[in-house]
Amino acid sequence: MIPVKFDYLAPTSVEEALAALGEHGDDAKILAGGQSLLPVLRMRLNAPEVVIDLNGISSLRGIRDDGDAIVIGAMTTHHDVRDHELVKEHALLLAKAAAEVADSQIRHRGTFGGALAHADPAGDLGAPALALGAQFVVQGPGGSRTVEADDFFVDLFETAIGDDEILTEVRIPKHTGWGAHYEKFVRVAHQWPIVAVAVTVKGSIDEARVGLTNMGSTPLRARATEAALAGASATEDGVRAAAEQAAEGTNPPSDLNGAADYRQHLARVLTGRAVLKAAGAA
Amino acid sequence: MTATQDRPAAEIGKDRRRKEDQRLITGRTRWTDNITLPGMLHLAMVRSPFAHANITSVDVEAAKSSPNVVTVLSGKDFGEELGACINAWPITPDQKTPAHSPMPADRVAFAGEIVAVVVARTSAEARDAAELVDVEYEELPAVVGIKNALKDEVLAHPDLGTNKSALWVFDSGEAGTGTDAEAAITEARANGIVIEREYRQQRLIPAFMEPRSVVVDPTGEQITMWSATQIPHILRFALAATTGVPESKIRVIAPDVGGGFGGKLQVTPEEWIAWAVARRLMKPVKYTETRSESLMAAHHGRDQVQTLTLAADKDGKVTGLKVHLDADLGSYVAIVGGGVPVLGAFMFNAIYKFPAYRFECQTVLTNTTFTDAYRGAGRPEATYAIERLMDELAAEVGVDPLEIRERNWITHEEFPFTTVAGLEYDTGNYEAATAKARASFGYDELRREQAERRERGDRVQLGIGVSTFTEMCGLAPSRVLGSLDYGAGGWESASVRLTPLGKVEVVTGASAHGQGHETAFSQIVADRLGVPFEDVEVLHGDTQVAPKGLDTYGSRSLVVGGEALVKAVDKVIDKAKVLAAHLLEANADDLDYADGKFTVRGTDQGKAIQELATATFAGHDYPEGMELTLDADATYDPVNFNYPHGTHLCAMEVDTETGAVKMRKYTCCDDIGTIINPLIVAGQVHGGLVQGIAQALWEEAVHDEAGTLVSGSFVDYLLPTSADTISFDVVHTDDPSICTTNTLGTKGVGEAGTIASTPAVVNAVVDAVRHLGVNDIQMPCTPERVWRAIHANDGDAATPADAMPHFHEGSLNQDEGAGA
Ligand SMILES: Cc1cc2nc3c(=O)[nH]c(=O)nc-3n(C[C@H](O)[C@H](O)[C@H](O)COP(=O)(O)OP(=O)(O)OC[C@H]3O[C@@H](n4cnc5c(N)ncnc54)[C@H](O)[C@@H]3O)c2cc1C
């Protein structure tokens, strides 16, 4: 289908992009990989007058080591996140989750920043970012600021990024040597998750981080389960007992793929499985 | 002619790669949307968002003044010239058939129905302007769902006074093809087994790859329509019949068409509108639908509630079957919409010797997208019902599902066999197909593993599903169609022409849209006429090139069209023989024909068919009385349907904690008579299987209460990709049951996989959890449905201890050894 007509801008620096955003305000939309934006435009669910393409800004692409964190540029593709050595070494959970996004074509186009900015509660990268305590660097007319993971996801498709701001990079505190598993539950391979659970654990088990995908209007942390797992041993019984609390405080949707109570059941079962796999016990 | 003994059938049976694939796959070909004509205008449709509403006004002014808009037309701007969408198969004389205008002026009956058309210089401008058309509606109550429709409280078409369109009945007692089903059921209630079930055939969307597209060029003496259709000939007929333009003034072309699966077996409102607009403006126009429009407004398939009663004696020998279908037609009775469930009427008895059978089909109208043929059309629904029931009967009797089938099936010595539905099955060998499938599948080993997993209370249970299907295909003997009040015949036509330099042009009335006719038909001609495969060109899909034909659907092209082709080739050879005898100065009786050459028996003298073609072109030397052509036409009207069959075995793993299902193994042994091209057959079987499996596990078109299609994109309408399927084990019987009603001995295979696989999969899923108290799971078997089925009986004291689900709310996975 054909989108409504729009003007297309291709800035080559963040400053230039911000200036364009400032000029056009609400009438403008940022284009990253286009894997969420283009379907929306083509189905005419949104009709911006100006599209600002970030693909020409090379500084937004790439992954670097920054002491106690790794830093992922917003325009880095899912494919590159999945395959990058720094990610595998210090944030294995992200590599595993990126591998589960859609299919190969989409992973080569879709970007890390675009996915997080889009904030689809069924998106695969929010829960891992939350579990890893990611810090989101957003740049606006007044400069850059950092938003903590807990404050970044506001609601369905809504983040702390202001209308005049761009997400430039995401800092992921190093979780070197942590085990990780992303358990995604789908009916067909190319689907968004019905429920997914992102787990990373230190040792077996000293500490655990558990993120939930599609269990509410934003990615969630299963904190009760995390607490129950800290210092627990990675036995089937112990882990399953801790996982029993995974759905506490969740408010998942009901749709063709499952009612809310079923999703809560899945969250419990999948959490148990993901923790055991992350801890190398399954 | 003499049989071609000294030349082995070189082409038939060969794994020829499809000659059409390069152009189809690379797209370097003529898809309808690729066609661009000088001065062509583009259409965009304005569709109703409401399922049922009066149209109170249509304001087109803003749209008309949008850039490069030529005109905007709504229903009231058209008269008779707009024509009508036809129903070609009224299943009863008193069928209620709502008038179906391509663009109603007063009232819409489904969400997606067209209320106005925008004509602009580009498709983008047409689309922009379509958003400016201001339609006011007065919403009416919509009826959605078969059971609601049957209540007749809310009417899909108030003027009809009812939602019930037609009731079609077959009763073997009355027809004299068997005994009384009711009596058999009464007897079984007293002394045998009665299985009563209600199965739901969910609504499906054909989801062909190429969206529907139509181009109409009214300039010139004939009006030409290119359409992504399966049925160019029927389309021309219907255009002439409903728009008043003589057939001789209409040329319809189905260029390369990207899939149909029955979904392009339709005469569509979009085609009629494009036709009317082009004629009115005297300019070429094009309309190509978006995927969203396709999902919403191209016809849907299936959608039945099946109420079934199977009677058997205590040993599981079936004594009678009663079927009541309620079938959702959607908003209109589409071209063969009412007939699709009736096609199933003859198939519920399947491969079995049932003595008594009653079938009723009630069609109902609702305010949803109209339904019609979808791969298998009526036969998958029937096969599903009976194959599910046979598994239930096996469970009831306590024997293996293969055993229960053997107790009831027609044995190979009993062919030809006249069924309780009145069909004569010519050949088949269910024992052979089952034995081969069973061995290839490793049936006994998988049964052992299943028992072990049950014993262990494994988190992942294994189930094995059986489907021993047959079907009637090769549509169809024209007289039979006449007796069913179908609006056309079932014959097919072919022509064979020899060019001056000895190449062969084959014209067929079958209209391929991805099946590989060009390759298979070339193989047939290559063998029969003795010419190189490469020298055969197959022409089709254009009423000017192939003026006669009934197109492609119902697994008919090879078995009906292929036979017409054989007859045409034989006529060519007969004609050529006269010329050969003349040129060789021999008696025609002394000529042999082999490898494309006539030889005089006992000499080394001969004439190749190519030489004869050139000699005919030259016309310098030919016998008195010979018409100077070797070309020939033939029409073939089949004397019977044909009856491919097969045994399909499926193993499914079911995760009892989540309800997730996973295919472990799928084996099918199909007996389809002679195989012309094994590679094409494999393609048809693999694709067909996936389509049937998708009904079992993934696909479902859902309308909400208001009649809005909820599964309106591929995010919600789940189509599988190769990542979701496994490698199938596709085998065939060693000694196939050759079809006796066509020369080649072929049986249809286009729908086989789809018909057979759905019940095999669901039987396997149910089998995996039957010990947990489950005897049915509604399609598609989503993880949630499977999980709920497993847990429906939680806390039910009647569940035997050994069948207890091994976990309950609050005490997950007690089972230590199950692993994670
Ligand atoms: C068929 C299909 C299947 C998919 N399946 C999955 C799946 O299984 N799991 C999954 O997680 N995702 C899935 N996706 C979505 C995919 O991951 C997208 O790539 C992602 O959601 C958006 O990333 P993008 O780079 O394409 O962003 P775009 O589509 O370009 O942009 C998305 C939104 O974010 C905004 N935006 C983008 N970048 C920035 C920025 N730097 N600063 C501020 N705002 C920004 C845009 O304005 C837009 O509103 C699927 C997509 C498709 C088409």
Side-chain angles (χ1 to χ4, degrees):
Chain A
M1 192 158 163
I2 308 156
V4 175
K5 208 168 176 173
F6 54 79
D7 282 337
Y8 171 81
L9 300 178
T12 52
S13 71
V14 174
E15 289 67 29
E16 216 185 305
L18 285 171
L21 201 52
E23 186 186 336
H24 299 285
D26 269 0
D27 298 333
K29 252 328 202 174
I30 300 273
L31 174 69
Q35 298 304 296
S36 295
L37 185 62
L38 285 187
V40 164
L41 299 188
R42 288 164 70 90
M43 292 210 231
R44 297 193 170 217
L45 300 173
N46 199 329
E49 283 171 22
V50 181
V51 168
I52 303 168
D53 185 355
L54 302 186
N55 283 280
I57 308 175
S58 52
S59 64
L60 291 177
R61 216 176 281 273
I63 299 173
R64 66 174 199 275
D65 193 324
D66 190 28
D68 57 356
I70 59 168
V71 179
I72 303 177
M75 291 298 291
T76 311
T77 62
H78 303 318
H79 174 81
D80 288 348
V81 170
R82 185 191 74 167
D83 280 358
H84 206 282
E85 285 308 321
L86 284 174
V87 179
K88 285 193 213 162
E89 194 180 340
H90 304 298
L92 182 61
L93 178 58
L94 269 188
K96 295 213 163 173
E100 297 288 322
V101 173
D103 55 36
S104 184
Q105 281 108 313
I106 289 163
R107 288 194 294 270
H108 275 83
R109 286 246 176 218
T111 66
F112 189 58
L116 293 167
H118 189 55
D120 183 339
D124 283 307
L125 297 168
L130 187 66
L132 290 166
Q135 296 172 316
F136 296 79
V137 182
V138 292
Q139 194 172 333
S144 280
R145 62 187 180 104
T146 299
V147 183
E148 297 297 327
D150 287 340
D151 303 324
F152 183 76
F153 298 103
V154 177
D155 205 343
L156 286 174
F157 303 105
E158 199 184 325
T159 67
I161 306 172
D163 283 347
D164 54 355
E165 291 180 319
I166 288 173
L167 174 66
T168 52
E169 56 189 33
V170 183
R171 293 172 58 85
I172 312 285
K174 282 186 182 168
H175 287 67
T176 316
W178 287 48
H181 185 74
Y182 188 67
E183 183 82 15
K184 178 170 174 173
F185 192 82
V186 287
R187 290 173 56 206
V188 295
H190 60 278
Q191 203 183 2
W192 275 266
I194 297 169
V195 172
V197 181
V199 173
T200 188
V201 296
K202 186 177 177 188
S204 133
I205 299 171
D206 305 328
E207 274 186 74
R209 301 281 179 273
V210 180
L212 304 175
T213 306
N214 215 11
M215 288 299 291
S217 56
T218 64
L220 298 173
R221 284 269 289 269
R223 294 199 191 263
T225 297
E226 290 178 0
L229 286 171
S233 61
T235 62
E236 172 112 20
D237 283 352
V239 167
R240 298 264 173 177
E244 269 305 286
Q245 302 171 61
E248 271 175 26
T250 61
N251 184 21
S254 287
D255 59 28
L256 295 179
N257 288 312
D261 67 324
Y262 173 64
R263 282 191 157 93
Q264 289 184 321
H265 165 75
L266 282 180
R268 289 188 285 265
V269 175
L270 302 178
T271 298
R273 292 182 185 181
V275 171
L276 287 169
K277 283 185 189 152
Chain B
M1 72 174 260
T2 324
T4 55
Q5 308 105 328
D6 34 338
R7 184 172 177 277
E11 284 295 338
I12 290 179
K14 196 165 162 183
D15 263 342
R16 274 276 182 196
R17 295 247 174 140
R18 306 199 321 178
K19 48 163 87 167
E20 51 271 70
D21 276 351
Q22 187 177 2
R23 69 170 203 273
L24 295 180
I25 290 169
T26 58
R28 308 195 104 208
T29 187
R30 282 251 172 146
W31 304 110
T32 302
D33 191 55
N34 286 352
I35 292 166
T36 299
L37 301 173
M40 190 163 82
L41 301 174
H42 297 263
L43 309 186
M45 303 298 172
V46 178
R47 295 175 184 273
S48 168
F50 300 112
H52 197 189
N54 285 323
I55 303 166
T56 49
S57 70
V58 183
D59 180 353
V60 300
E61 288 317 310
K64 268 189 175 164
S65 50
S66 189
N68 279 321
V69 168
V70 176
T71 187
V72 182
L73 301 162
S74 70
K76 64 178 173 10
D77 297 315
F78 290 101
E80 298 270 285
E81 83 279 11
L82 187 56
C85 297
I86 56 165
N87 168 237
W89 190 354
I91 57 173
T92 61
D94 60 352
Q95 170 180 291
K96 295 253 186 324
T97 313
H100 186 185
S101 167
M103 192 194 292
D106 51 350
R107 188 176 58 90
V108 291
F110 74 98
E113 185 150 30
I114 300 166
V115 293
V117 56
V118 175
V119 189
R121 298 204 191 282
T122 67
S123 59
E125 287 160 328
R127 176 95 19 219
D128 285 343
E131 300 202 341
L132 302 175
V133 176
D134 188 8
V135 186
E136 270 181 39
Y137 298 93
E138 178 201 347
E139 247 194 289
L140 298 169
V143 59
V144 178
I146 291 169
K147 292 192 174 174
N148 286 332
L150 286 168
K151 287 187 215 152
D152 265 347
E153 285 163 8
V154 175
L155 298 182
H157 296 277
D159 52 321
L160 294 181
T162 176
N163 293 319
K164 295 182 182 132
S165 175
L167 176 67
W168 193 92
V169 179
F170 174 85
D171 189 296
S172 67
E174 288 160 22
T177 53
T179 52
D180 180 18
E182 291 292 355
I185 292 165
T186 309
E187 163 63 20
R189 280 194 208 285
N191 297 312
I193 297 169
V194 177
I195 311 248
E196 293 176 287
R197 291 286 188 278
E198 180 185 291
Y199 292 140
R200 175 92 176 94
Q201 288 286 329
Q202 80 270 32
R203 184 180 273 244
L204 300 178
I205 302 180
F208 30 75
M209 191 174 288
E210 179 207 19
R212 297 174 306 159
S213 180
V214 56
V215 170
V216 180
D217 183 0
T219 62
E221 193 50 37
Q222 281 195 321
I223 308 173
T224 304
M225 175 184 281
W226 288 261
S227 183
T229 181
Q230 291 176 233
I231 51 166
H233 297 92
I234 294 171
L235 180 52
R236 180 169 85 150
F237 170 85
L239 278 173
T242 73
T243 68
V245 178
E247 268 167 299
S248 51
K249 298 286 185 197
I250 305 174
R251 176 181 184 188
V252 175
I253 304 173
D256 281 326
V257 176
F261 312 116
K264 289 175 182 164
L265 196 187
Q266 194 58 262
V267 291
T268 68
E270 291 84 355
E271 286 163 336
W272 261 238
I273 292 167
W275 174 264
V277 170
R279 286 182 69 207
R280 171 175 299 217
L281 302 178
M282 282 311 286
K283 289 245 162 93
V285 304
K286 184 198 285 187
Y287 169 74
T288 300
E289 69 184 353
T290 65
R291 182 59 69 180
S292 308
E293 288 179 294
S294 189
L295 294 175
M296 180 167 59
H299 77 239
H300 294 173
R302 313 278 192 265
D303 210 346
Q304 299 179 353
V305 174
Q306 309 178 308
T307 308
L308 308 155
T309 314
L310 185 76
D313 67 17
K314 290 213 168 75
D315 295 331
K317 201 153 173 30
V318 176
T319 53
L321 173 66
K322 191 171 99 175
V323 174
H324 179 90
L325 301 185
D326 293 299
D328 193 346
L329 297 167
S331 45
Y332 298 101
V333 195
I335 188 161
V336 293
V340 166
V342 170
L343 271 179
F346 305 95
M347 280 292 117
F348 278 86
N349 51 296
I351 64 168
Y352 308 113
K353 293 181 284 191
F354 295 169
Y357 174 51
R358 182 176 170 84
F359 172 92
E360 303 162 358
C361 173
Q362 175 70 60
T363 55
V364 300
L365 293 153
T366 58
N367 295 113
T368 58
T369 309
F370 48 86
T371 63
D372 208 317
Y374 175 50
R375 203 168 186 175
R379 292 152 291 160
E381 296 92 318
T383 303
Y384 179 81
I386 189 58
E387 291 304 299
R388 284 284 297 112
L389 286 178
M390 293 308 274
D391 263 35
E392 294 304 305
L393 180 61
E396 190 69 32
V397 177
V399 300
D400 189 282
L402 285 174
E403 167 68 26
I404 209 77
R405 286 171 172 79
E406 197 172 337
R407 288 183 193 178
N408 286 284
W409 71 35
I410 304 158
T411 63
H412 71 277
E413 301 95 352
E414 291 171 299
F415 289 92
F417 184 90
T418 302
T419 73
V420 73
L423 295 179
E424 191 188 277
Y425 293 178
D426 59 343
T427 55
N429 190 337
Y430 309 139
E431 300 95 316
T434 302
K436 185 149 182 188
R438 190 184 172 123
S440 189
F441 186 65
Y443 191 82
D444 298 333
E445 213 165 294
L446 283 162
R447 281 282 182 216
R448 256 195 304 281
E449 182 185 331
Q450 176 183 39
E452 279 164 24
R453 283 179 188 258
R454 277 196 192 177
E455 183 85 2
R456 280 205 308 272
D458 204 340
R459 178 167 68 72
V460 177
Q461 290 290 318
L462 184 67
I464 296 170
V466 174
S467 167
T468 47
F469 90 104
T470 189
E471 58 142 333
M472 51 188 271
C473 66
L475 304 184
S478 297
R479 292 192 191 94
V480 174
L481 293 178
S483 72
L484 291 170
D485 296 316
Y486 179 69
W491 49 265
E492 197 43 84
S493 145
S495 306
V496 174
R497 306 195 291 243
L498 294 176
T499 64
L501 296 175
K503 304 291 180 198
V504 184
E505 286 176 342
V506 168
V507 177
T508 172
S511 188
H513 41 282
Q515 290 87 349
H517 293 14
E518 290 169 38
T519 301
F521 285 15
S522 296
Q523 289 177 271
I524 293 170
V525 172
D527 271 4
R528 195 98 183 169
L529 196 58
V531 297
F533 171 82
E534 294 74 16
D535 284 1
V536 185
E537 200 67 39
V538 178
L539 309 172
H540 61 86
D542 178 345
T543 60
Q544 203 164 79
V545 173
K548 280 185 293 186
L550 285 166
D551 309 321
T552 288
Y553 43 83
S555 304
R556 67 187 305 276
S557 296
L558 177 61
V559 295
V560 186
E563 185 65 8
L565 182 53
V566 165
K567 291 193 181 310
V569 170
D570 288 355
K571 286 187 188 174
V572 168
I573 296 170
D574 286 345
K575 289 186 182 184
K577 190 175 200 173
V578 175
L579 180 61
H582 172 79
L583 295 176
L584 291 165
E585 296 176 359
N587 189 322
D589 293 340
D590 295 334
L591 296 185
D592 286 332
Y593 189 64
D595 280 337
K597 194 171 183 178
F598 287 99
T599 47
V600 184
R601 213 167 296 130
T603 75
D604 57 359
Q605 281 194 312
K607 282 277 174 205
I609 190 80
Q610 291 86 350
E611 292 176 86
L612 296 169
T614 309
T616 306
F617 171 70
H620 298 168
D621 183 12
Y622 61 104
E624 279 311 316
M626 177 191 161
E627 186 186 350
L628 198 53
T629 177
L630 301 180
D631 301 348
D633 300 335
T635 298
Y636 174 64
D637 190 23
V639 295
N640 193 353
F641 297 95
N642 64 84
Y643 306 96
H645 70 84
T647 297
H648 289 226
L649 300 172
C650 172
M652 295 292 293
E653 292 177 354
V654 175
D655 182 333
T656 54
E657 270 184 355
T658 61
V661 300
K662 194 172 146 210
M663 190 170 284
R664 165 80 172 274
K665 175 135 205 199
Y666 195 104
T667 296
C668 60
C669 179
D670 291 326
D671 184 343
I672 53 167
T674 308
I675 293 175
I676 304 297
N677 183 326
L679 200 58
I680 291 180
V681 166
Q684 289 293 326
V685 172
H686 280 254
L689 289 176
V690 177
Q691 234 158 353
I693 293 165
Q695 175 171 15
L697 299 181
W698 298 302
E699 296 183 29
E700 180 168 26
V702 181
H703 288 93
D704 67 13
E705 281 169 21
T708 308
L709 183 66
V710 181
S711 49
S713 84
F714 287 150
V715 172
D716 294 305
Y717 190 82
L718 292 190
L719 286 182
T721 67
S722 56
D724 302 300
T725 58
I726 62 171
S727 212
F728 306 121
D729 175 28
V730 175
V731 296
H732 298 280
T733 47
D734 302 318
D735 188 11
S737 312
I738 302 301
C739 181
T740 59
T741 53
N742 66 60
T743 315
L744 296 164
T746 58
K747 299 183 181 184
V749 73
E751 295 157 300
T754 309
I755 293 171
S757 60
T758 312
V761 175
V762 178
N763 278 338
V765 173
V766 172
D767 186 53
V769 292
R770 191 182 287 283
H771 64 295
L772 305 178
V774 177
N775 68 21
D776 190 31
I777 298 168
Q778 192 181 316
M779 295 190 290
C781 298
T782 63
E784 183 182 25
R785 283 186 179 145
V786 174
W787 179 74
R788 290 199 193 280
I790 295 171
H791 294 284
N793 299 329
D794 281 7
D796 180 349
T799 312
D802 63 347
M804 287 293 278
H806 68 268
F807 74 92
H808 295 279
E809 287 298 322
S811 59
L812 280 166
N813 207 49
Q814 307 148 338
D815 190 69
E816 291 276 332

